[in-house]
């Protein structure tokens, strides 16, 4: 349910808008306007492309998929993994964990900058889309003024002109900005996971008792997501199993 939240939210927003139109006695099909769609979405795509890079634009489909399918990282599983490493360090020495600890530390490098670049196209599209909508409306109104000698066409022409503003504001606030905010949220969750990992690695390297390591790390885990003691792995081998792959929520 958590990973479907963004898709459900966008669908609910669109449904609410359509239901509102129907309740007012309108026809949703009247809101289909190809010229406005080309102006807003074509203009937004071009402006976004011009202000980012080809590599960032290539990642957009994958980021949409990530937003719609990613789950929050399992902090409790990472606690169990690190406590398992602490137990191994006390039993076999720190040298036995060199490879694992190096791998955890490598996860931290460049993550924040990479995530900021990933959501940048969505943030910029959210800014450009309303402006493109206004441009489309102005262009439509210019066309309306050219036809003042045909009063019977003014109503549909004015309505069509305002479709561009509707598309621009709607796309920004229902799609682009919610996706950017979701990517930001996923990035913050992963940063929390990384900070917790650093805390655990430092505690292990300092030779802390596994119970102390667990107490330090559980402060990062919300109470409702903590497992009871009898649900936790009993050994380091069991702890490694569920968390061997780090969460990549917003990479």
């Amino acid at each position: 349910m958590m990973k479907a939240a963004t898709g459900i939210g966008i669908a609910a927003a669109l449904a609410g808008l359509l239901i509102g139109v129907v309740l007012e006695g309108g026809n949703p099909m009247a809101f289909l306007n190809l010229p406005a769609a080309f102006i807003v979405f074509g203009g937004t795509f071009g402006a976004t492309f011009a202000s980012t890079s080809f590599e960032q634009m290539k990642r957009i489909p994958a980021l949409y998929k990530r937003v719609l399918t990613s789950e929050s990282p399992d902090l409790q599983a990472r606690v169990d993994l690190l406590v398992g490493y602490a137990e191994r360090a006390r039993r076999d020495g720190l040298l036995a964990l060199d490879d694992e600890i190096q791998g955890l530390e490598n996860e931290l490098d460049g993550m924040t900058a990479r995530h900021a670049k990933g959501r940048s196209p969505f943030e910029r599209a959210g800014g450009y889309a309303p402006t493109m909508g206004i441009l489309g409306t102005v262009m439509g109104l210019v066309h309306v003024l050219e036809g003042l000698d045909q009063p019977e066409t003014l109503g549909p022409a004015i309505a069509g002109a305002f479709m561009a503003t509707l598309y621009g504001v709607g796309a920004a606030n229902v799609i682009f900005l919610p996706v950017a905010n979701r990517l930001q949220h996923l990035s913050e969750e992963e940063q929390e996971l990384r900070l917790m990992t650093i805390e655990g690695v430092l505690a292990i390297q300092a030779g802390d008792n596994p119970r102390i390591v667990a107490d330090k790390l559980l402060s990062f885990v919300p109470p409702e997501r903590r497992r009871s003691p009898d649900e936790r792995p009993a050994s380091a081998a069991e702890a490694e199993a569920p968390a061997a792959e780090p969460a990549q929520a917003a990479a």
Side-chain angles (χ1 to χ4, degrees):
M1 188 68 176
M2 178 70 72
K3 67 181 181 180
T6 302
I8 293 172
I10 291 175
L14 293 173
L17 293 172
L18 292 175
I19 291 171
V21 170
V22 172
L23 292 177
E24 287 182 345
N27 179 4
M29 298 301 294
F31 289 84
L32 296 179
N33 188 295
L34 284 180
F38 276 112
I39 291 170
V40 172
F41 294 107
T44 298
F45 176 82
T48 303
F49 202 166
S51 62
T52 56
S53 68
F54 183 66
E55 290 301 318
Q56 288 174 282
M57 297 298 287
K58 280 201 311 183
R59 296 186 63 207
I60 286 178
L63 289 171
Y64 269 119
K65 180 180 178 181
R66 192 174 298 282
V67 162
L68 295 173
T69 60
S70 290
E71 294 183 347
S72 297
D74 190 342
L75 297 178
Q76 180 65 63
R78 183 56 60 93
V79 171
D80 296 337
L81 176 67
L82 291 166
V83 171
Y85 284 165
E87 292 170 352
R88 283 181 57 191
R90 286 178 66 85
R91 184 177 65 248
D92 304 326
L94 281 174
L95 290 178
L97 293 175
D98 275 352
D99 291 341
E100 289 87 346
I101 289 178
Q102 184 62 42
L104 291 172
E105 290 174 337
N106 288 341
E107 293 176 26
L108 307 169
D109 298 334
M111 183 195 67
T112 302
R114 187 175 69 251
H115 290 181
K117 287 182 179 179
R119 66 177 177 272
S120 174
F122 299 98
E123 293 174 337
R124 298 188 183 196
Y128 293 135
T131 303
M132 293 298 167
I134 293 172
L135 288 175
T137 296
V138 172
M139 293 167 63
L141 290 176
V142 170
H143 179 65
V144 168
L145 294 175
E146 291 175 346
L148 288 179
D149 58 337
Q150 302 176 37
E152 69 279 3
T153 67
L154 291 182
I158 293 173
F162 281 104
M163 284 299 101
T165 296
L166 177 65
Y167 284 1
V169 174
N173 290 281
V174 175
I175 300 175
F176 300 136
L177 294 179
V179 168
N181 290 336
R182 176 60 176 163
L183 287 171
Q184 171 71 23
H185 179 69
L186 291 173
S187 178
E188 289 171 354
E189 287 187 326
E190 193 164 349
Q191 288 178 47
E192 188 77 3
L193 179 72
R194 300 300 203 259
L195 290 173
M196 185 181 74
T197 301
I198 291 176
E199 184 76 18
V201 168
L202 291 175
I204 293 170
Q205 291 176 333
D208 286 350
N209 182 285
R211 184 176 295 277
I212 295 175
V213 173
D215 290 340
K216 286 182 178 179
L217 299 182
L218 282 174
S219 64
F220 290 89
V221 184
E224 67 275 7
R225 293 171 61 184
R226 297 176 188 173
R227 286 197 286 268
S228 61
D230 58 339
E231 295 177 315
R232 296 176 193 164
S235 68
E238 293 176 46
E240 291 178 33
E245 291 295 330
Q248 297 294 328

